[in-house]
Amino acid sequence: MHNALLTNKKKLLVTGLSILTVSSLAYLAVFAERLSPVSPTETFIRQYMTNPNGTLATYLQEARSTNEDIAAGREALSESLGVWMQYAWVKGDRQLFADSFRLLRTFFLSPQNRIYWKLSPDGQPHVTTNALGDDLRIVDALWKAADGWENEEYAKAAEAVTQSLFASSIQHGYLVDFYDFAKKESPQTLSLVYVDMSALKRMADHNKIDADVYQRYRDLLMNMPNDGIFYPKIFHVENQMYSYVDSVNLIDQLIVAINLAEAGRTPRELAAFLKKEFAQQHQLPGRYDRASRTAAVSYESPAVYGLAILLALKLDDPQWANQLQDRMVQLRSNDSRFLGGYVFQEDTHAFDNLVPLLAEEALRTYKD
């Protein structure tokens, strides 16, 4: 009797310790999550750049849209959703990604699995077109989350959007900039900024496109010329010619360079030029004159620094990435109302907050 009682006491003690251990681990997990660094820029986006329905506003200030081809005020972009999803993946924030996926399905995705590039603040699609680069960014994030978190729902969505793209947006064997769902028309141009090699690689890895299709886009970048520093803006699919612009948008150049590095070609000339410019001027302007190689504007774009950081990490150059981040965060608002935000004259664009946030997290993850 005494031995049986002692045995029961031991079992109770062990059970109690097990419950305590599980409870303690759960508490520590929650506590650790609360202690994990939350960027003030994320806080700003959640507080100021989020519409009541959860979509991300394009601008801080409200404004009426006067041109359906240009986003205004609190309208929401698929571009913003895609970068937000990329950020959630890099951060490892499953809840944020799940919330973003809900927004995709609820508001942005048509019954034909086409993604509206713009929504009204209340989530209504008043446009009949997609934007290829935004679609591929979302597909890439979905595949990464599907693979990394073994989520079949994300994989099915990525597959559906991929099938829709290749069923409607092809001209002369290439995806093109957009497809008009209503007119059933698309242009003959592929903006090089849209050639998302990470997304295309995942499509090929999942057997959603043939290997030769992926290679077609890789060759497009591998064979792409430059003018000694800058890359072309447009690939004309009909005659397979590249064309340049006189005023170079550095955001475009950096995205092309990132995709070029993803394809396996180091963007040496552009990277060397930007490093030299930054070392000498201690800043990177938003635009350059292509002929003179001089700044075409005086303003700095937080998104430029964010993309430059992502390129630096792609090139395994954390020293430059850290220098760029130091300059980037100096552009954050000092206004107590908008702490963490990249706000200028009481307004800001979502891209100028989302890309710096993504870069900040990518750099932190790189260091870890």
Side-chain angles (χ1 to χ4, degrees), residues 311-328:
L311 177 61
L313 296 179
K314 200 76 179 171
L315 301 177
D316 291 318
D317 192 344
Q319 181 179 1
W320 187 37
N322 280 306
Q323 293 170 356
L324 291 163
Q325 172 158 288
D326 289 344
R327 178 57 188 162
M328 182 178 75

Side-chain angles (χ1 to χ4, degrees), residues 6 28 117 176 310 329 348:
L6 184 61
L28 288 172
W117 78 272
V176 290
L310 294 175
V329 298
T348 187

Side-chain angles (χ1 to χ4, degrees), residues 121-313:
D122 62 357
Q124 297 301 310
H126 297 300
V127 297
T128 60
T129 55
N130 68 321
L132 176 63
D134 305 343
D135 294 359
L136 292 179
R137 185 181 288 116
I138 289 172
V139 166
D140 189 42
L142 285 170
W143 279 126
K144 286 175 179 175
D147 294 343
W149 295 331
E150 298 181 351
N151 189 304
E152 186 63 26
E153 202 173 11
Y154 299 158
K156 288 180 179 178
E159 180 179 354
V161 175
T162 298
Q163 289 177 342
S164 177
L165 276 173
F166 279 87
S168 61
S169 299
I170 296 289
Q171 291 284 351
H172 301 282
Y174 291 92
L175 290 167
V176 290
D177 287 352
F178 65 86
Y179 177 69
D180 190 313
F181 319 144
K183 297 178 181 178
K184 296 183 179 180
E185 295 176 352
S186 54
Q188 302 286 316
T189 56
L190 171 56
S191 295
L192 291 162
V193 71
Y194 286 168
V195 186
D196 189 328
M197 294 308 299
S198 178
L200 291 162
K201 179 67 163 60
R202 289 185 180 273
M203 290 175 180
D205 288 345
H206 286 271
N207 298 314
K208 304 309 172 188
I209 60 174
D210 293 337
D212 63 331
V213 173
Y214 167 76
Q215 190 61 42
R216 187 180 308 153
Y217 293 98
R218 185 170 182 270
D219 289 344
L220 187 154
L221 292 185
M222 298 297 282
N223 298 326
M224 177 178 61
N226 65 38
D227 67 357
I229 293 177
F230 299 119
Y231 298 108
K233 181 178 177 64
I234 300 291
F235 178 71
H236 300 271
V237 298
E238 189 172 11
N239 57 18
Q240 299 193 19
M241 299 290 289
Y242 301 84
S243 63
Y244 294 87
V245 290
D246 294 332
S247 181
V248 175
N249 185 326
L250 213 51
I251 286 175
D252 291 351
Q253 292 290 308
L254 286 162
I255 295 176
V256 170
I258 290 168
N259 287 324
L260 199 60
E262 184 74 31
R265 174 182 166 188
T266 303
R268 290 186 179 86
E269 297 89 351
L270 179 67
F273 173 77
L274 294 179
K275 288 187 72 171
K276 182 180 178 181
E277 281 287 290
F278 187 73
Q280 293 178 346
Q281 309 298 330
H282 309 293
Q283 63 178 30
L284 293 175
R287 282 183 176 274
Y288 278 85
D289 178 77
R290 189 167 71 87
S292 67
R293 317 300 208 199
T294 57
V297 295
S298 59
Y299 67 80
E300 298 172 78
S301 164
V304 163
Y305 289 109
L307 291 166
I309 289 168
L310 294 175
L311 177 61
L313 296 179

Side-chain angles (χ1 to χ4, degrees), residues 27-69:
Y27 172 78
L28 288 172
V30 172
F31 186 66
E33 185 175 347
R34 288 176 179 171
L35 283 180
S36 63
V38 176
S39 168
T41 304
E42 179 184 338
T43 302
F44 168 78
I45 291 169
R46 288 181 180 273
Q47 185 173 356
Y48 291 100
M49 302 297 291
T50 304
N51 291 319
N53 59 13
T55 59
L56 296 178
T58 301
Y59 289 96
L60 176 61
Q61 300 295 338
E62 294 185 4
R64 183 181 296 275
S65 177
T66 57
N67 185 339
E68 69 174 19
D69 295 329

